[in-house]
Amino acid sequence: MQNYALAIHGGAGTILKSTMSPEKELAYKNGLQDAIEAGESILKSGGSAFDAVETAIIKLENNPLFNAGKGAVFTNNGTHEMDASIMNGKDLMAGAIAGVQGVKNPIALARAVMEQSEHVLLTGNGAMEFAKKVNAQFENEDYFFVQLRYDQLQQAKQSNSMILDHTEDKIEHGEKKFGTVGCVALDLNGNLAAGTSTGGMTNKKFGRVGDSSIIGAGTYANNNTCAISCTGHGELFIRSVVAYDISCLMEYKNLSLKEACDIVVMDKLVKIGGEGGLIALDAKGNIVLPFNSEGMYRASKKQNEDIFIGIYK
Ligand code: ASP
C-alpha cells in the first residue's frame, strides 16, 4: 500500500514578512492548516485523492482570505467570475468551469462537469445553466463582497490597469499576491489528483480566463507522473503549458519531480516573466513546492510526518 501525501496552496506573489502583521500571518496559517487537515482526514480513512482535493479546496474557497469562492477578486464591472478545474490521475478524467458567478464552490461544479456531463470545460452562461441543473449551491452578491477586494478594484480602476494581485507598484500594504487556491493529493491506493480554483485577477475584462481552469496549464494529474496545481500570472502559465510540461519532462526525459519543476518554474517561466509557483506531488509521494515570486502560501503533509506550513521564501 502507498503512503498518502498531499499539498495545498493559497496563492503566490509579493508576500513579504515586513508587510505582514502577526495576526494576519496567523489567520493565513490557520486557514491553510484547516484545509490540509480536511484533505488529510479523507486520505487517512482510505478515501480517494480526488475527494481529498475537492474537500481541501472547498475549505479554502469558503475562507475570505483567499482569492477563490468567498474572497474572489472583483472584475471590472464589479462582479466575481470564477474559474476552477479538477483532474483524476487514475483515468485522466477532468472537469472545469470558467467565468461562473454566484456559485459558492466552483471546484464542486468543476467536479460535476466531469461526473455529470460529457464535457470537460463549461464557460459563462452555459456553465451557469449547468450549475442550476445539477443544483449547485448559489450565494448572493453580499456573500462574495470583501472590502479589501473592493478597495483593490478601485485602485486598479484608477490606474486603468488589470491588477495581477501581486503587482508591486500597483498595490500597497503588502496585498500583492495571486490568491488562487489548489490541492494535489496521493491516496493509499496510489492514485493522484489535482485541483485549482480562483477568482482570477482584479479588474479583469472581456470574460478573461486564466490558467486555473485550463487542464495542462494550471492543473494536471497523471498517475504515471505527477499531480500539479499552479498559481501565478495566468497568461504566462497558459503559454507555458506549465502543469503538463512538468509531467512531460518526467515522462519523456525521465526527470525527477524536482528536476522537472526547477526547469519549468525557475528557468522557463522566469525567462518569459511568468511570476508564480505551484505545488507538485509524484506517484511515490515526493512533494515539491517551487515558486519564483517572493512568497507562496503553502502547506504539505506526508503520512507519518508533521504538517509543513510556509509563506515566505
Ligand atoms: N493564475 C490565476 C489567474 O491567472 C491567478 C492566481 O494564481 O491567483 O487567473
Side-chain angles (χ1 to χ4, degrees), residues 9 11-12 67 83 164-165 177-181 196 198-201 204 208-212 230-235 237:
H9 71 76
N67 172 19
D83 305 336
L164 286 157
D165 231 0
K177 60 177 188 64
F178 302 106
T180 292
V181 307
T196 312
T198 188
M201 56 194 253
K204 65 182 181 180
R208 179 265 186 190
V209 175
D211 60 315
S212 307
C230 301
T231 171
H233 192 153
E235 279 70 9
F237 277 64

Side-chain angles (χ1 to χ4, degrees), residues 264-307:
V264 175
V265 179
M266 302 310 202
D267 186 43
K268 290 175 85 170
L269 270 172
V270 171
K271 280 182 181 142
I272 62 165
E275 185 179 1
L278 53 85
I279 50 173
L281 173 59
D282 71 15
K284 290 181 215 121
N286 295 305
I287 293 174
V288 192
L289 311 169
F291 53 96
N292 60 37
S293 48
E294 290 294 338
M296 180 169 82
Y297 295 106
R298 60 200 187 278
S300 62
K301 172 79 173 83
K302 289 184 183 179
Q303 193 173 330
N304 309 323
E305 286 184 22
D306 291 339
I307 292 178

Side-chain angles (χ1 to χ4, degrees), residues 188-255:
L188 294 171
N189 292 316
N191 292 315
L192 286 166
T196 312
S197 179
T198 188
M201 56 194 253
T202 300
N203 205 23
K204 65 182 181 180
K205 298 174 187 165
F206 315 123
R208 179 265 186 190
V209 175
D211 60 315
S212 307
S213 54
I214 310 295
I215 296 298
T219 304
Y220 190 72
N222 182 337
N223 275 6
N224 295 328
T225 53
C226 59
I228 309 278
S229 169
C230 301
T231 171
H233 192 153
E235 279 70 9
L236 285 297
F237 277 64
I238 292 174
R239 286 164 50 200
S240 305
V241 203
V242 169
Y244 187 58
D245 199 17
I246 291 171
S247 175
C248 285
L249 285 167
M250 295 176 72
E251 185 171 1
Y252 301 131
K253 284 191 100 179
N254 259 320
L255 298 192

